[in-house]
Amino acid sequence: MTRIGDAAGFHAWFAERAAAHRYRVTPAPLDGLNGWSRDPRTGDLRHRSGRFFSVEGLRVRRPGPDGRSWTQPIIRQPETGVLGILVTRFAGVPHLLMQAKMEPGNVNTLQLSPTVQATFSNYTRVHRGSAVRYLEHFLAPGAGDRVRYDALQSEQGSWFLGKRNRNIVVETTGNVPVHEDFCWVPYPVMAELLRVDNLVNMDARTVLAGLPGTGGGRGADGPPGPSRPVHDAAGLSHWLTSAKVRLRPERTGVPLNAVDGWRYDAERGAILHHAGRYFRIIGVDVEADSREVPSWSQPMLQPVGRGIVAFVSKEIRGRRHLLVQARAEAGTFDAVEVAPTVQCNPGNLSGDADRPPYLDTVLGAPPARVLFDTVHSEEGGRFHHAENRYLVVDGTDVPVDVPEDYTWMTVGQLTRAGRIGNLVGVEARTLLACVHTLPGHGAAR
């Protein structure tokens, strides 16, 4: 099937693709991973090719005389990959070319991915595997291709050091042969699929957030006033720039074997936190007959517990606004980015003093005020069974006046900011893709 018409048709196709392939992911000790080794001097985990990624140590210190400091393992992947969605129109309706793709860290193995999802090492074929399908539309668009969106976007700053991928949307009028693991999905059906737990993967969601025709809202931005945003573009830029100066942490690389509070557990073959919090670094052996390479081994970051990612949404001056925060993370490329109202893992909080603002507002919202509530997986190529509960909560009773690190943005303002690289974090972008599907929140037109 090359094109589906509704959600039922999609699920039938997806189940068929899941049954057509063989996958196996087996835990393996880090010291026994084929092609990987721990540096005898630093303890850093590296691939024998010197490519793909490494696991290293990082020391972080918050600004100010009382700034908290810590050390942690972090994934360093300096390569820039390609995440691309090919779009065409059938009977005037935008359709997205999506693939059923296996990743070793996915909780359900197979998820819906962009047309192209490839690291630089993958698409330059360091692994000597097969070529990446449809890559030419994004790296060398043809006469029938029109680039609609192209930006370097950051990824999870708590787990990656300076990681960015190129997010691209290309609209084509050409005749595109469709491989059996791909299909054209109408955008209205994609909006339905975003409400299904662990189906649309992170790489697809981050590109969907920049899809043209989403998040425009009602009317253009303008100065504060009736039926206008709370803040204009200059005011928002001033707020974020001030936060980048105020919140920027100091970051220093350290050997992985010198990271305080973490240790290599020989019995489990993994790197663990002494209190069992945050995450582990584990190893896996992978077999997948649908991938460019049928088998490989790799380290993975395995979070402890499920996170909460949420927007508080509120009608202000006749415009739908989202409450966002300026958030500094250990490895974020530009240190501080726009993040959702709440972004945390409650299991990592040490007490009430650690509870972030608005967490209780989100978790205590009555069902009638929960506008969106779906569990989505994070990037399954590097993270093992990483899940966040994504919520949008109506915050009618939340005051317009907010703490210094928070501000209100319209859906359109946040969408436009998200199309510029390194301004809006990946958690906010992935939730923004979900927000675009909500009535009254600037859905795709």
Side-chain angles (χ1 to χ4, degrees):
M1 178 183 295
T2 61
R3 177 160 43 121
I4 58 102
D6 55 22
F10 168 83
H11 288 295
W13 169 81
F14 197 73
E16 174 189 287
R17 300 324 305 154
H21 295 292
R22 180 180 60 86
Y23 310 110
R24 179 181 297 174
V25 180
T26 307
L30 291 174
D31 281 348
L33 293 180
N34 182 32
W36 295 82
S37 63
R38 288 196 296 153
D39 186 287
R41 183 177 59 87
T42 65
D44 295 352
L45 280 162
R46 302 185 187 281
H47 191 262
R48 65 187 169 203
S49 67
R51 304 290 293 275
F52 301 109
F53 65 95
S54 58
V55 182
E56 305 176 7
L58 187 70
R59 176 175 286 111
V60 185
R61 180 181 176 85
R62 301 281 190 199
D66 299 323
R68 185 169 71 92
S69 64
W70 71 94
T71 55
Q72 66 168 86
I74 200 157
I75 298 172
R76 185 175 184 272
Q77 186 172 341
E79 299 179 344
T80 300
V82 172
L83 307 178
I85 291 180
L86 198 60
V87 180
T88 196
R89 293 178 183 269
F90 296 107
V93 178
H95 285 60
L96 318 177
L97 186 60
M98 308 296 289
Q99 65 170 310
K101 187 178 180 71
M102 175 271 184
E103 292 287 1
N106 290 345
V107 295
N108 49 356
T109 310
L110 198 70
Q111 294 189 1
L112 192 62
S113 303
T115 316
V116 168
Q117 177 185 318
T119 67
F120 181 80
S121 290
N122 286 152
Y123 71 75
T124 56
R125 303 170 74 177
V126 171
H127 48 43
R128 297 185 176 90
S130 57
V132 175
R133 294 184 178 89
Y134 308 110
L135 183 66
E136 67 278 5
H137 291 279
F138 302 96
L139 297 188
D145 298 331
R146 178 187 174 194
V147 178
R148 300 295 305 277
Y149 165 59
D150 190 351
L152 287 175
Q153 296 286 14
S154 62
E155 301 204 355
Q156 286 84 354
S158 291
W159 300 334
F160 279 124
L161 180 60
K163 171 76 182 299
R164 297 193 298 177
N165 272 323
R166 191 175 177 184
N167 288 209
I168 314 177
V169 175
V170 172
E171 186 165 354
T172 186
T173 56
N175 181 24
V176 179
V178 179
H179 183 269
E180 60 186 359
D181 287 331
F182 294 72
C183 74
W184 291 107
V185 180
Y187 182 81
V189 174
M190 181 62 66
E192 294 183 55
L193 302 182
L194 282 166
R195 288 182 171 269
V196 179
D197 288 354
N198 293 315
L199 177 58
V200 181
N201 82 353
M202 186 213 80
D203 299 293
R205 299 190 309 266
T206 179
V207 182
L208 288 171
L211 193 69
T214 58
R218 289 177 285 170
D221 291 344
S227 298
R228 293 294 188 181
V230 171
H231 304 289
D232 61 15
L236 291 171
S237 178
H238 175 72
W239 168 78
L240 183 58
T241 303
S242 298
K244 287 187 175 188
V245 173
R246 185 177 68 254
L247 301 176
R248 181 178 296 272
E250 297 177 10
R251 303 186 295 202
T252 308
V254 298
L256 185 57
N257 60 17
V259 172
D260 297 332
W262 300 76
R263 63 183 176 87
Y264 178 73
D265 186 304
E267 183 178 348
R268 299 188 186 183
I271 297 172
L272 310 176
H273 183 257
H274 70 93
R277 295 163 67 185
Y278 307 117
F279 57 83
R280 311 177 185 97
I281 304 295
I282 66 170
V284 294
D285 292 328
V286 186
E287 298 175 54
D289 61 10
S290 65
R291 293 292 299 264
E292 295 88 353
V293 173
S295 64
W296 70 94
S297 301
Q298 68 171 90
M300 303 200 80
L301 187 152
Q302 183 184 61
V304 177
R306 178 184 291 172
I308 298 290
V309 178
F311 277 133
V312 170
S313 172
K314 181 180 175 73
E315 185 103 355
I316 308 172
R317 299 175 181 171
R319 299 290 299 262
R320 178 58 62 173
H321 286 70
L322 302 173
L323 181 57
V324 302
Q325 63 170 306
R327 181 180 175 89
E329 293 191 306
T332 300
F333 182 83
D334 197 21
V336 178
E337 292 183 331
V338 177
T341 319
V342 174
Q343 181 181 319
C344 73
N345 183 333
N348 291 333
L349 303 178
S350 58
D352 289 343
D354 269 357
R355 292 184 75 79
Y358 306 106
L359 176 60
D360 293 332
T361 299
V362 168
L363 296 181
R369 290 194 175 180
V370 177
L371 309 177
F372 185 92
D373 187 356
T374 300
V375 174
H376 282 304
S377 296
E378 301 311 318
E379 208 278 312
R382 299 292 175 263
F383 311 138
H384 188 266
H385 293 188
E387 294 179 305
N388 281 312
R389 182 184 175 194
Y390 283 87
L391 296 122
V392 180
V393 172
D394 183 82
T396 299
D397 298 334
V398 173
V400 175
D401 292 334
V402 294
E404 181 181 27
D405 295 340
Y406 293 76
T407 197
W408 295 98
M409 299 179 72
T410 67
V411 176
Q413 287 175 325
L414 186 58
T415 300
R416 287 186 284 278
R419 289 179 181 143
I420 302 170
N422 304 310
L423 288 184
V424 178
V426 66
E427 290 86 359
R429 295 195 313 273
T430 195
L431 185 53
L432 188 59
C434 304
V435 168
H436 289 159
T437 70
L438 299 178
H441 283 67
R445 299 186 301 281

